[in-house]
Amino acid sequence: TVTVTVSGSNDCNPEGATVNAVIKTGKNRVTIDATTATTDVNGQATFTITAGQKKGNAKVVFTVEDSEGEVYTVFVIVKIRKK
């Protein structure tokens, strides 16, 4: 599970922001439960990333756009290893 936390400046409430998720690399290695999620009262949006059987790395990118149209990006690298 990955939790993306959005914080607002100048006492801006981050609740209700839409966070987008996309698998940039390793689409055959992982799945994600949703491509968008809305932040809760704490500014948090949660996604579940599930690893497949194929060994290697996957990159999942999360973005959120503020009220002025500026886009903020963060990503995670998921490493899948054989058991």
Side-chain angles (χ1 to χ4, degrees):
T1 301
V2 175
T3 301
V4 178
T5 303
V6 177
S7 58
S9 61
N10 300 324
D11 295 324
C12 176
N13 182 355
E15 181 180 9
T18 299
V19 179
N20 299 296
V22 64
I23 302 169
K24 284 293 192 180
T25 61
K27 291 179 183 178
N28 58 345
R29 293 185 175 94
V30 297
T31 58
I32 191 162
D33 68 332
T35 56
T36 62
T38 303
T39 56
D40 62 14
V41 295
N42 298 312
Q44 297 181 332
T46 302
F47 297 86
T48 300
I49 300 170
T50 304
Q53 298 296 318
K54 193 165 185 176
K55 181 180 169 183
N57 295 340
K59 180 178 181 180
V60 182
V61 177
F62 303 93
T63 58
V64 65
E65 185 175 339
D66 70 12
S67 60
E68 297 174 359
E70 188 166 347
V71 177
Y72 297 89
T73 304
V74 66
F75 66 89
V76 296
I77 301 292
V78 180
K79 295 182 180 185
I80 298 96
R81 298 189 174 109
K82 288 188 176 182
K83 292 182 178 183

